[in-house]
Amino acid sequence: MPVTKQQALEYHFGERPGKIEVTPSKPCRTQKDLSLAYTPGVADPCLEIAKNPHDAFKYTARGKLVAVVSNGTAVLRLGDIGALAGKPVMEGKGVLFKRFADVDVFDLEVDGHNPEDIIKLCQLIEPTIGGINPEDIKAPECFYIEETLKKTMKIPVFHDDQHGTASISGAALLNALEIVDKPINQVKGVFNGAGASGIACAEHYVRLGVKRENITLCDTKGVVYKGRTAGMNAYKERFAKETPLRTLAEAMRGADVFLGCSVKGAVRPEMLRAMASRPIVFAMANPDPEITYEEAKLSRSDVILATGRSDYPNQVNSVLGFPFIFRGALDVRATAINEEMKLAGTRALADLAKEDVPDSVCRAYGVERLKFGPDYLIPKPFDPRVLLWEAVAVARAAMESGVAQEPVNLEALSGAAGTSAREGARDCADDGAQGAGEPEDRGFSGRRSREDFAGLPHAGGREHRGADSARQCGSHSQENSRARAGFARSADRGSCDGADAKPLTAGTVSSTAAARSDIDRSTNADREPQCVRVDDAAQGRRGRIGFRCEPAFPRHDPSWSRNCSRA
């Protein structure tokens, strides 16, 4: 839906300038609270951390905090507008982190073009944060910055401009190739745009199975070929090949796949018509694609098309990637986001798109039905199941690849799959009787300590089995059920290769994006809590429907937790 300049400015100004704020997670309303929050009580966790630095994840917010770092040299399609002018974008990134995965953000705008300055800043603030998201930094500097940080830091570093687009479009590619029945190792692809996104997509597609020799990379100077010197760098050189092709139009003849991370109008209708049968076209230039949706469909009725726009099918939106990839990494205290984790996120998205789509998601997008096919290759960002599928896949890959510092019990996840599948089918049936997300009047099953739900530590100890987060209709394979049940409810502690591993719980995931609530915990701890339905849109917030667990009267006990039961 298009917005006007005035609407955008008013949205950012409003009653409180900007889009983010810092709010306390513990009460501070009495003298005792103050003594606990600051001196003298704060000395005790300080001493514990001094003895064991890893306890910083236990006593501080470090484990749920990501730094979004930018120097403003490649802001959207606005170019090098500077660090300060790019701040609204970085705040927006913080909104998406919080809204979709309950990850907190400090946005840091760095006034400098020297990559070494950005690298040094990130290295110095490592004790503060649990992950680094370099953002809107131009190529090739962005490659060097990320590579250096990954080598020198022990926390996840993930440049979303590169890997977010790659991960999500990769899921669309897998499903598109399945639809057109073309083997991934035989397709010929053309990539237009050799910046951060374009090169990262090409590298990711190679890891998915596309042969490097079948990729033709193009930039503003044409085809990247062996022996070319103009506009070259080490990253483009990886895709330089011996070829007589020199222009984008020549490269697209007979190609099976086109991926654009370039500029509006780069592809003409005749270029599309010259591609192979049933071509796959990802025209992802923003805000206007390389070829418009209407032009592409008129040129080729058999084309499978994805863009970066929300007003057309198959929007490749980075919000399907970075919040959930970071969430999975943070929750197992991963020391890096490696290739295995990125591939796991891609495949989880591809698998989820083949599942039946809940009615609540269809209603959110104003459509009667969404079904896997040429116009539905990847899930929608507001599908609450994305958190369960993608984050758990990333967490699992982190454990299996050896970068997780706090592994969780994979057997507990598998054991919850059958229950989760049955609940999903029942939830869909409930929709017809009482509306999407309407909770059964079953109250709460009791209170537990925060530590009981430490599988995903920063979830604040709330166990929440929300319908939207687990809802799916129809039958599912055991493998897909296990993926969806990745963060299913299980309060039993387990072990992983002898380690003190803890199971992932619904409270640690499904409570986050759909069940965050503003609860006054300061008084009257004797009243029983209740489960209420939350329609954030009706409360003036944007686009969130789910459950919120809150007491009839506020509590003071900071270690309370509740189980919103549907069993």
Side-chain angles (χ1 to χ4, degrees):
M1 179 182 297
V3 298
T4 66
K5 176 181 178 180
Q6 188 60 32
Q7 287 174 325
L9 294 177
E10 288 177 356
Y11 175 87
H12 286 79
F13 178 60
E15 295 180 1
R16 187 166 188 155
K19 300 191 288 278
I20 57 176
E21 64 180 359
V22 176
T23 58
S25 61
K26 300 295 191 301
C28 189
R29 293 182 174 85
T30 67
Q31 180 60 43
K32 182 177 180 181
D33 291 340
L34 183 59
S35 297
L36 290 169
Y38 203 55
T39 183
V42 73
D44 292 313
C46 289
L47 294 172
E48 293 299 311
I49 295 169
K51 289 186 291 185
N52 179 15
H54 197 70
D55 276 352
F57 292 111
K58 183 177 181 180
Y59 296 116
T60 76
R62 185 190 181 199
K64 60 173 292 188
L65 183 61
V66 168
V68 175
V69 181
S70 177
N71 65 355
T73 54
V75 179
L76 299 176
R77 295 298 168 187
L78 304 176
D80 186 353
I81 62 174
L84 183 58
K87 185 173 174 61
V89 176
M90 307 314 134
E91 286 191 357
K93 202 71 181 284
V95 171
L96 301 182
F97 264 111
K98 189 66 175 179
R99 165 62 183 84
F100 287 95
D102 195 31
V103 173
D104 292 328
V105 161
F106 284 166
D107 63 292
L108 303 175
E109 291 72 36
V110 184
D111 189 12
H113 285 64
N114 187 346
E116 299 299 336
D117 292 339
I118 298 174
I119 291 169
K120 188 64 174 178
L121 171 69
C122 293
Q123 292 169 336
L124 290 174
I125 65 171
E126 182 171 353
T128 301
I129 37 88
I132 293 280
N133 176 192
E135 182 74 7
D136 289 351
I137 301 171
K138 71 182 181 71
E141 289 88 340
C142 62
F143 301 121
Y144 171 67
I145 289 170
E146 186 190 43
E147 289 173 357
T148 304
L149 293 178
K150 289 170 70 173
K151 292 176 182 176
T152 59
M153 301 183 75
K154 296 181 179 180
I155 57 175
V157 179
F158 184 84
H159 185 204
D160 178 53
D161 295 328
Q162 297 180 56
H163 313 299
T165 303
S167 180
I168 299 154
S169 67
L173 176 71
L174 293 177
N175 284 341
L177 289 173
E178 180 177 326
I179 291 170
V180 301
D181 194 24
K182 293 184 179 182
I184 193 169
N185 62 350
Q186 296 179 19
V187 295
K188 295 181 179 180
V190 175
F191 290 69
N192 193 45
S197 296
I199 289 179
C201 285
E203 292 286 4
H204 192 64
Y205 287 15
V206 169
R207 287 186 285 270
L208 287 171
V210 177
K211 290 185 177 179
R212 189 176 293 269
E213 58 267 28
N214 287 346
I215 291 176
T216 301
L217 181 66
C218 302
D219 60 11
T220 56
K221 300 185 184 301
V223 173
V224 174
Y225 58 88
K226 282 288 186 183
R228 200 186 96 173
T229 57
M232 292 295 289
N233 58 50
Y235 306 98
K236 294 181 185 180
E237 194 64 43
R238 297 173 186 170
F239 290 93
K241 63 181 183 178
E242 298 286 352
T243 176
L245 304 175
R246 292 296 180 267
T247 68
L248 176 62
E250 293 173 353
M252 289 184 66
R253 292 187 192 127
D256 300 289
V257 177
F258 169 82
L259 181 138
C261 295
S262 52
V263 295
K264 171 185 177 181
V267 175
R268 300 185 301 276
E270 61 268 24
M271 297 162 68
L272 199 62
R273 288 192 287 267
M275 294 181 70
S277 63
R278 304 201 74 183
I280 298 167
V281 174
F282 296 164
M284 299 186 296
N286 272 320
D288 299 304
E290 284 80 0
I291 185 170
T292 68
Y293 186 85
E294 293 80 8
E295 282 182 315
K297 287 295 185 179
L298 285 173
S299 302
R300 295 287 298 261
S301 60
D302 61 344
V303 67
I304 292 183
L305 186 66
T307 71
R309 294 179 62 112
S310 60
D311 49 351
Y312 297 122
N314 298 323
Q315 182 193 19
V316 177
N317 190 325
S318 64
V319 77
L320 272 172
F322 68 86
F324 312 108
I325 291 172
F326 264 104
R327 181 63 194 267
L330 292 173
D331 287 331
V332 294
R333 304 289 181 245
T335 56
I337 294 175
N338 57 27
E339 302 307 328
E340 292 87 348
M341 295 160 72
K342 298 171 195 172
L343 289 170
T346 292
R347 295 189 173 111
L349 288 174
D351 289 342
L352 177 56
K354 300 171 189 175
E355 299 295 321
D356 293 329
V357 180
D359 291 341
S360 58
V361 176
C362 296
R363 287 196 298 270
Y365 285 89
V367 297
E368 184 175 342
R369 189 182 185 194
L370 291 168
K371 183 179 180 181
F372 176 67
D375 289 336
Y376 181 70
L377 299 174
I378 49 178
K380 297 292 187 180
F382 282 102
D383 188 333
R385 300 171 302 164
V386 175
L387 179 64
L388 294 174
W389 283 65
E390 189 173 4
V392 71
V394 170
R396 183 182 292 114
M399 290 183 280
E400 293 174 350
S401 62
V403 297
Q405 296 183 87
E406 292 187 8
V408 295
N409 191 333
L410 292 176
E411 291 183 2
L413 307 187
S414 301
T419 300
S420 181
R422 289 191 295 273
E423 286 185 345
R426 185 186 63 191
D427 287 339
C428 287
D430 289 345
D431 279 350
Q434 57 186 359
E438 197 73 27
E440 299 176 50
D441 185 16
R442 294 181 183 267
F444 290 78
S445 63
R447 295 179 59 193
R448 306 180 185 184
S449 69
R450 275 179 199 274
E451 290 72 25
D452 286 341
F453 303 117
L456 293 182
H458 71 252
R462 301 177 183 85
E463 182 180 16
H464 177 84
R465 292 153 52 189
D468 281 342
S469 63
R471 176 173 294 130
Q472 288 176 300
C473 301
S475 61
H476 309 291
S477 68
Q478 178 67 19
E479 179 180 356
N480 286 338
S481 295
R482 181 180 300 112
R484 188 188 60 158
F487 293 156
R489 49 179 181 74
S490 175
D492 299 323
R493 293 186 182 276
S495 63
C496 181
D497 297 329
D500 292 331
K502 304 170 185 177
L504 303 173
T505 70
T508 54
V509 176
S510 62
S511 67
T512 59
R516 295 288 294 180
S517 59
D518 302 321
I519 300 176
D520 181 347
R521 308 172 188 172
S522 62
T523 61
N524 205 336
D526 296 326
R527 296 295 296 270
E528 285 300 314
Q530 58 185 343
C531 184
V532 297
R533 187 168 185 265
V534 176
D535 186 337
D536 282 349
Q539 298 180 17
R541 302 172 192 156
R542 293 183 177 265
R544 188 170 73 186
I545 297 177
F547 287 145
R548 175 169 83 197
C549 298
E550 63 182 30
F553 286 91
R555 297 182 182 273
H556 173 64
D557 180 6
S559 67
W560 59 267
S561 60
R562 307 169 179 81
N563 174 21
C564 179
S565 177
R566 292 179 59 88

